[in-house]
Coordinates of all heavy atoms in Angstrom, one line a residue:
A195 N 48.4 -13.0 -121.0 CA 48.6 -12.9 -119.5 C 49.7 -11.9 -119.3 O 49.6 -10.7 -119.6 CB 48.8 -14.3 -118.9
D196 N 50.8 -12.4 -118.7 CA 51.9 -11.4 -118.4 C 53.0 -11.4 -119.5 O 54.0 -10.7 -119.3 CB 52.5 -11.8 -117.1 CG 53.1 -13.2 -117.0 OD1 52.8 -14.0 -118.0 OD2 53.7 -13.6 -116.0
D197 N 52.8 -12.1 -120.6 CA 53.8 -12.1 -121.7 C 53.5 -11.1 -122.8 O 52.3 -11.1 -123.3 CB 53.9 -13.5 -122.4 CG 54.5 -14.6 -121.4 OD1 55.3 -14.2 -120.6 OD2 54.1 -15.7 -121.5
I198 N 54.4 -10.2 -123.1 CA 54.2 -9.1 -124.0 C 55.1 -9.3 -125.2 O 56.3 -9.6 -125.1 CB 54.5 -7.8 -123.4 CG1 53.5 -7.5 -122.3 CG2 54.5 -6.6 -124.4 CD1 53.8 -6.2 -121.4
V199 N 54.5 -9.2 -126.4 CA 55.2 -9.3 -127.7 C 55.0 -8.1 -128.5 O 53.8 -7.7 -128.8 CB 54.8 -10.6 -128.5 CG1 55.7 -10.8 -129.7 CG2 54.9 -11.8 -127.6
L200 N 56.1 -7.5 -129.1 CA 55.9 -6.3 -130.0 C 56.6 -6.6 -131.3 O 57.7 -7.2 -131.3 CB 56.6 -5.1 -129.4 CG 56.1 -4.6 -128.0 CD1 56.9 -3.3 -127.6 CD2 54.6 -4.3 -128.0
F201 N 55.9 -6.3 -132.4 CA 56.5 -6.5 -133.7 C 56.6 -5.1 -134.3 O 55.7 -4.3 -134.3 CB 55.6 -7.3 -134.6 CG 55.5 -8.7 -134.3 CD1 54.6 -9.2 -133.3 CD2 56.2 -9.7 -135.0 CE1 54.5 -10.5 -133.0 CE2 56.1 -11.0 -134.7 CZ 55.3 -11.5 -133.7
G202 N 57.8 -4.8 -135.0 CA 57.9 -3.4 -135.6 C 59.1 -3.4 -136.5 O 59.8 -4.4 -136.8
S203 N 59.3 -2.2 -137.0 CA 60.3 -1.9 -138.1 C 61.7 -1.6 -137.6 O 62.6 -1.6 -138.5 CB 59.8 -0.8 -139.0 OG 59.7 0.4 -138.2
S204 N 61.9 -1.4 -136.3 CA 63.3 -1.1 -135.9 C 63.4 -1.5 -134.4 O 62.5 -1.3 -133.6 CB 63.7 0.3 -136.1 OG 63.1 1.1 -135.1
P205 N 64.6 -2.0 -134.0 CA 64.8 -2.3 -132.5 C 64.6 -1.1 -131.7 O 64.1 -1.2 -130.6 CB 66.2 -2.9 -132.5 CG 66.5 -3.4 -133.9 CD 65.7 -2.5 -134.8
A206 N 65.1 0.1 -132.2 CA 65.0 1.3 -131.4 C 63.6 1.7 -131.1 O 63.2 2.1 -129.9 CB 65.7 2.4 -132.1
K207 N 62.7 1.6 -132.1 CA 61.3 1.9 -131.9 C 60.7 1.0 -130.9 O 59.9 1.4 -130.0 CB 60.6 1.8 -133.2 CG 59.1 2.2 -133.1 CD 58.4 1.9 -134.5 CE 58.8 2.8 -135.5 NZ 58.0 2.7 -136.8
L208 N 61.0 -0.3 -131.0 CA 60.4 -1.3 -130.0 C 60.9 -1.1 -128.6 O 60.1 -1.2 -127.7 CB 60.8 -2.7 -130.5 CG 60.2 -3.2 -131.8 CD1 60.6 -4.6 -132.1 CD2 58.7 -3.0 -131.9
E209 N 62.2 -0.7 -128.5 CA 62.7 -0.4 -127.1 C 62.0 0.8 -126.6 O 61.7 0.9 -125.4 CB 64.2 -0.2 -127.2 CG 65.0 -1.5 -127.4 CD 66.5 -1.3 -127.4 OE1 66.9 -0.1 -127.3 OE2 67.2 -2.3 -127.5
R210 N 61.8 1.8 -127.4 CA 61.2 3.0 -126.9 C 59.8 2.7 -126.4 O 59.3 3.2 -125.4 CB 61.1 4.1 -128.0 CG 60.6 5.4 -127.6 CD 60.8 6.5 -128.7 NE 60.1 6.2 -129.9 CZ 60.7 5.8 -131.1 NH1 62.0 5.7 -131.1 NH2 59.9 5.6 -132.1
L211 N 59.0 1.9 -127.1 CA 57.7 1.6 -126.7 C 57.7 0.7 -125.5 O 56.8 0.8 -124.6 CB 56.9 0.9 -127.9 CG 56.4 1.9 -128.9 CD1 56.0 1.1 -130.2 CD2 55.2 2.6 -128.3
M212 N 58.7 -0.2 -125.4 CA 58.7 -1.1 -124.2 C 59.0 -0.2 -123.0 O 58.5 -0.5 -121.9 CB 59.8 -2.2 -124.4 CG 59.6 -3.3 -123.4 SD 58.0 -4.3 -123.7 CE 58.5 -5.4 -124.9
H213 N 59.8 0.8 -123.1 CA 60.1 1.8 -122.0 C 58.7 2.5 -121.6 O 58.5 2.7 -120.5 CB 61.1 2.8 -122.4 CG 62.5 2.3 -122.3 ND1 63.1 1.7 -121.2 CD2 63.5 2.2 -123.3 CE1 64.3 1.4 -121.4 NE2 64.6 1.7 -122.7
R214 N 58.0 2.8 -122.7 CA 56.6 3.4 -122.4 C 55.8 2.5 -121.6 O 55.1 2.8 -120.7 CB 56.0 3.8 -123.8 CG 54.6 4.3 -123.6 CD 54.5 5.7 -123.1 NE 53.2 6.2 -123.0 CZ 52.5 6.8 -124.0 NH1 53.0 6.9 -125.2 NH2 51.2 7.2 -123.8
A215 N 55.8 1.2 -122.0 CA 55.0 0.2 -121.3 C 55.4 0.1 -119.8 O 54.6 0.0 -118.9 CB 55.2 -1.2 -122.0
S216 N 56.8 0.1 -119.6 CA 57.3 0.1 -118.3 C 56.8 1.2 -117.4 O 56.4 1.0 -116.2 CB 58.8 0.1 -118.3 OG 59.4 0.0 -117.0
R217 N 56.7 2.4 -118.0 CA 56.2 3.6 -117.2 C 54.8 3.5 -116.9 O 54.3 3.8 -115.8 CB 56.5 4.9 -118.0 CG 58.0 5.2 -118.1 CD 58.2 6.7 -118.5 NE 57.7 6.9 -119.9 CZ 58.3 6.7 -121.0 NH1 59.6 6.2 -121.0 NH2 57.8 7.0 -122.2
L218 N 54.0 3.0 -117.9 CA 52.6 2.8 -117.7 C 52.3 1.7 -116.6 O 51.4 1.9 -115.8 CB 51.9 2.4 -119.0 CG 51.8 3.5 -120.0 CD1 51.2 2.9 -121.4 CD2 50.8 4.6 -119.6
L219 N 53.1 0.7 -116.6 CA 52.9 -0.4 -115.6 C 53.3 0.1 -114.2 O 52.7 -0.3 -113.2 CB 53.7 -1.6 -116.0 CG 53.2 -2.4 -117.2 CD1 54.2 -3.4 -117.7 CD2 51.9 -3.1 -116.9
L220 N 54.3 0.9 -114.2 CA 54.8 1.4 -112.9 C 53.7 2.2 -112.2 O 53.6 2.2 -110.9 CB 56.0 2.3 -113.1 CG 56.8 2.7 -111.8 CD1 57.3 1.4 -111.1 CD2 57.9 3.6 -112.2
N221 N 52.8 2.8 -112.9 CA 51.7 3.6 -112.4 C 50.7 2.7 -111.6 O 50.0 3.2 -110.7 CB 50.9 4.3 -113.5 CG 51.7 5.5 -114.1 OD1 52.6 6.0 -113.5 ND2 51.4 5.8 -115.3
I222 N 50.7 1.4 -111.9 CA 49.8 0.5 -111.2 C 50.6 -0.6 -110.4 O 50.2 -1.6 -110.0 CB 48.8 -0.2 -112.1 CG1 49.5 -0.9 -113.3 CG2 47.7 0.7 -112.6 CD1 48.6 -1.7 -114.2
G223 N 51.9 -0.2 -110.1 CA 52.7 -1.0 -109.2 C 53.3 -2.2 -109.8 O 53.7 -3.2 -109.1
L224 N 53.4 -2.3 -111.1 CA 54.0 -3.4 -111.8 C 55.3 -3.1 -112.5 O 55.5 -1.9 -112.8 CB 53.0 -4.0 -112.8 CG 51.6 -4.4 -112.3 CD1 50.7 -4.9 -113.4 CD2 51.8 -5.6 -111.2
N225 N 56.1 -4.1 -112.8 CA 57.4 -3.9 -113.5 C 57.6 -5.0 -114.5 O 57.2 -6.1 -114.3 CB 58.6 -3.9 -112.5 CG 58.6 -2.8 -111.5 OD1 58.9 -1.6 -111.8 ND2 58.1 -3.0 -110.3
L226 N 58.3 -4.6 -115.6 CA 58.7 -5.6 -116.6 C 60.0 -6.3 -116.1 O 60.8 -5.7 -115.3 CB 59.0 -4.9 -117.9 CG 57.8 -4.3 -118.7 CD1 58.3 -3.6 -119.9 CD2 56.9 -5.4 -119.0
S227 N 60.1 -7.5 -116.5 CA 61.3 -8.3 -116.1 C 62.4 -8.0 -117.1 O 62.4 -8.4 -118.3 CB 61.0 -9.8 -116.2 OG 62.1 -10.6 -116.0
A228 N 63.5 -7.4 -116.6 CA 64.6 -7.1 -117.5 C 65.3 -8.3 -118.0 O 65.7 -8.4 -119.2 CB 65.7 -6.2 -116.7
A229 N 65.4 -9.4 -117.2 CA 66.0 -10.6 -117.6 C 65.3 -11.3 -118.8 O 65.9 -12.1 -119.5 CB 66.2 -11.5 -116.4
K230 N 64.0 -11.1 -118.9 CA 63.2 -11.7 -119.9 C 62.8 -10.8 -121.1 O 62.0 -11.2 -121.9 CB 61.9 -12.3 -119.2 CG 62.2 -13.4 -118.2 CD 60.9 -14.0 -117.7 CE 61.2 -15.1 -116.7 NZ 59.9 -15.7 -116.2
T231 N 63.5 -9.7 -121.1 CA 63.3 -8.8 -122.3 C 64.3 -9.1 -123.3 O 65.5 -9.0 -123.1 CB 63.4 -7.3 -121.8 OG1 62.4 -7.1 -120.8 CG2 63.1 -6.4 -123.0
K232 N 63.8 -9.6 -124.5 CA 64.7 -10.1 -125.5 C 64.3 -9.6 -126.9 O 63.2 -9.5 -127.2 CB 64.8 -11.6 -125.5 CG 65.3 -12.2 -124.2 CD 65.2 -13.7 -124.2 CE 65.8 -14.3 -122.9 NZ 65.7 -15.8 -122.9
H233 N 65.4 -9.4 -127.8 CA 65.2 -9.1 -129.2 C 65.3 -10.3 -130.0 O 66.0 -11.2 -129.8 CB 66.3 -8.1 -129.6 CG 66.1 -6.7 -129.1 ND1 65.3 -5.8 -129.8 CD2 66.6 -6.0 -128.1 CE1 65.3 -4.7 -129.2 NE2 66.1 -4.8 -128.1
Y234 N 64.4 -10.3 -131.1 CA 64.5 -11.4 -132.1 C 64.2 -10.8 -133.5 O 63.7 -9.7 -133.6 CB 63.3 -12.4 -131.9 CG 63.3 -13.1 -130.6 CD1 62.7 -12.6 -129.5 CD2 64.0 -14.4 -130.4 CE1 62.6 -13.3 -128.3 CE2 64.0 -15.0 -129.2 CZ 63.3 -14.5 -128.1 OH 63.3 -15.1 -126.9
S235 N 64.6 -11.5 -134.5 CA 64.0 -11.2 -135.8 C 62.7 -12.0 -135.9 O 62.5 -12.9 -135.1 CB 65.0 -11.7 -136.9 OG 65.1 -13.1 -136.9
R236 N 61.9 -11.7 -136.9 CA 60.7 -12.4 -137.0 C 60.9 -13.9 -137.2 O 60.2 -14.8 -136.6 CB 59.8 -11.9 -138.2 CG 59.0 -10.7 -137.9 CD 58.0 -10.4 -139.0 NE 58.7 -10.1 -140.3 CZ 58.5 -10.7 -141.4 NH1 57.7 -11.8 -141.4 NH2 59.1 -10.4 -142.5
S237 N 61.9 -14.3 -138.0 CA 62.2 -15.7 -138.3 C 62.8 -16.4 -137.0 O 62.4 -17.5 -136.7 CB 63.2 -15.8 -139.4 OG 64.4 -15.2 -139.1
S238 N 63.6 -15.7 -136.3 CA 64.2 -16.3 -135.1 C 63.1 -16.5 -134.0 O 63.1 -17.5 -133.2 CB 65.4 -15.6 -134.5 OG 65.0 -14.3 -134.1

Side-chain angles (χ1 to χ4, degrees):
D196 57 352
D197 291 329
I198 293 174
V199 184
L200 301 181
F201 291 83
S203 59
S204 77
K207 181 186 291 187
L208 296 182
E209 285 183 359
R210 185 169 66 250
L211 278 165
M212 198 65 86
H213 284 303
R214 174 76 180 275
S216 180
R217 291 194 298 273
L218 290 171
L219 289 169
L220 192 61
N221 291 335
I222 52 174
L224 302 175
N225 293 282
L226 292 175
S227 171
K230 294 184 179 180
T231 302
K232 297 180 180 179
H233 283 278
Y234 300 89
S235 66
R236 276 190 300 119
S237 61
S238 64

